[in-house]
Amino acid sequence: MATNKAAAMTQPTLTECYKAHDGRVSDKWSLYLDEYERLFAPIRNKPIHLLEIGVQNGGSLEIWGEYFPQAQKIVGCDINPACAQLNYRKPTINVVIGDVNKDDTLAQVFKHAEQYDIVIDDGSHTSQDIIHTFCTLLPHVKQGGLFVAEDLHCSYWKKFNGGLYEPRAAMAFFKALADIPNFEHWGLEGHTRRRVLAPFGISEELTETLLTEIHSVEFINSMCVINRQPAEKNVLGLRCVAGELEEVASVKQVNGTSSPTPAQQFPAPNTGSLTSNLQEITETLQAKIAENEAQQELLKSKNKEIQELNHLREQMHEQLVRAEAQLALLKDLLLDDSVL
């Protein structure tokens, strides 16, 4: 333990590792480096297993190898076949080519390690992929381990199937996931954790039992960090009352008791709001229909004008043909007179 503490005092921070790095290129936001230092420093000198989705130029895998000197496995997974050419001096660093949400790719990933202390999703950034990857890989995050989704600002952009009000965006999913640690306080009989997440199309891997091991869901700018812990560590526990003097309120009697959860009801539909919304939708549709009918009438009018112009063009063409015939006849007559 003392050796680890002494090593930690002399080791460069992750930001310093990035500044000193001159190998393959790595691209991370500065906030990530600060947050990773906070999250990873306690396990920096442990024999960890790390999986990063999204390799690109491969620089981050090199830096993770420097930052975690005792790492047992550092695995990168990328769908780009060009990443297969990346080779590393450290035998603990490996690259798997393929879509991490496909069974054959997962089989290759799990050949290196079945369980990981850290999983970082820096892959496609599309909402469906992020949600699917979380469902697939959370069972392979060790208890006490972390799953980190990076670049969640993409979750607000249509290009990545996101949007601030997009109901199935990755951020909406993680916001719903944030309710899971507080399950014991919901007070809704028969309501399961999976039921809350079902609208996001979660896979079977994300079981009710596994969801009891969601210890915390932490949001940072463009990042979400999920900590997995044994289920018994994720309950509120008993009230701990200390001290002797109660000059304002009497609370000693609740020492050692649990939190009572009153039964709750599902919210009744707001029919007034629904009526208002339906009225607004109806008015919008009626306006669109009226606009369409006006455009149809305008189109009919234009078609009629075109038909009239075509008819006039045909008449003018007939007149021109007759005029050309008369001109030809006149020329013939003039030639006959000149001959005489």
Side-chain angles (χ1 to χ4, degrees), residues 226-298:
I226 296 89
N227 184 355
R228 180 183 177 185
Q229 295 284 353
E232 59 269 19
K233 289 189 175 183
N234 305 325
V235 294
L236 190 61
L238 303 178
R239 293 184 74 162
C240 301
V241 180
E244 293 295 332
L245 296 177
E246 291 184 320
E247 297 177 330
V248 176
S250 177
V251 294
K252 284 185 179 181
Q253 69 278 6
V254 299
N255 186 41
T257 63
S258 59
S259 173
T261 299
Q264 303 296 305
Q265 299 293 326
F266 289 102
N270 188 343
T271 56
S273 176
L274 288 174
T275 302
S276 175
N277 289 340
L278 287 173
Q279 180 66 28
E280 183 179 345
I281 292 171
T282 301
E283 291 174 357
T284 301
L285 286 174
Q286 289 174 342
K288 290 292 183 183
I289 291 170
E291 181 182 347
N292 184 58
E293 289 175 347
Q295 290 176 345
Q296 291 292 335
E297 289 298 321
L298 179 61

Side-chain angles (χ1 to χ4, degrees), residues 152-176:
L152 286 175
H153 48 270
C154 296
S155 177
Y156 296 100
W157 301 340
K158 186 175 182 180
K159 177 182 177 182
F160 296 92
N161 310 121
L164 181 59
Y165 299 107
E166 172 55 49
R168 296 188 67 175
M171 275 300 296
F173 169 76
F174 288 123
K175 289 175 185 176

Side-chain angles (χ1 to χ4, degrees), residues 93-278:
I93 302 177
N94 298 272
V95 175
V96 173
I97 303 301
D99 183 346
V100 76
N101 289 315
K102 298 289 182 64
D103 290 343
D104 55 343
T105 305
L106 287 170
Q108 293 299 315
V109 169
F110 298 148
K111 278 184 180 179
H112 294 287
E114 280 284 342
Q115 297 284 306
Y116 289 87
D117 300 274
I118 300 168
V119 174
I120 299 172
D121 184 359
D122 187 20
S124 72
H125 306 325
T126 61
S127 288
Q128 299 99 313
D129 283 350
I130 292 170
I131 295 169
H132 194 172
T133 299
F134 176 78
C135 294
T136 301
L137 292 181
L138 185 65
H140 298 274
V141 174
K142 293 180 183 179
Q143 290 185 340
L146 301 173
F147 180 99
V148 183
E150 286 189 354
D151 294 343
L152 286 175
H153 48 270
C154 296
S155 177
Y156 296 100
W157 301 340
K158 186 175 182 180
K159 177 182 177 182
F160 296 92
N161 310 121
L164 181 59
Y165 299 107
E166 172 55 49
R168 296 188 67 175
M171 275 300 296
F173 169 76
F174 288 123
K175 289 175 185 176
L177 192 71
D179 283 319
I180 299 301
N182 293 315
F183 173 78
E184 62 183 298
H185 310 297
W186 292 359
L188 298 172
E189 185 177 357
H191 211 62
T192 66
R193 299 167 179 84
R194 278 185 57 84
R195 181 175 177 179
V196 169
L197 302 176
F200 298 95
I202 59 173
S203 60
E204 293 300 319
E205 292 96 332
L206 203 63
T207 65
E208 188 72 14
T209 300
L210 180 59
L211 287 170
T212 66
E213 298 183 5
I214 300 290
H215 180 75
S216 63
V217 180
E218 180 181 1
F219 293 98
I220 308 159
N221 189 341
S222 300
M223 300 174 73
C224 186
V225 182
I226 296 89
N227 184 355
R228 180 183 177 185
Q229 295 284 353
E232 59 269 19
K233 289 189 175 183
N234 305 325
V235 294
L236 190 61
L238 303 178
R239 293 184 74 162
C240 301
V241 180
E244 293 295 332
L245 296 177
E246 291 184 320
E247 297 177 330
V248 176
S250 177
V251 294
K252 284 185 179 181
Q253 69 278 6
V254 299
N255 186 41
T257 63
S258 59
S259 173
T261 299
Q264 303 296 305
Q265 299 293 326
F266 289 102
N270 188 343
T271 56
S273 176
L274 288 174
T275 302
S276 175
N277 289 340
L278 287 173

Side-chain angles (χ1 to χ4, degrees), residues 23 25 41 60 70 90 110 153 163 195 254 270 306 324 337 339:
V25 170
S60 63
Q70 306 301 321
K90 287 191 173 184
F110 298 148
H153 48 270
R195 181 175 177 179
V254 299
N270 188 343
I306 291 172
E324 288 176 344
D337 289 343
V339 171

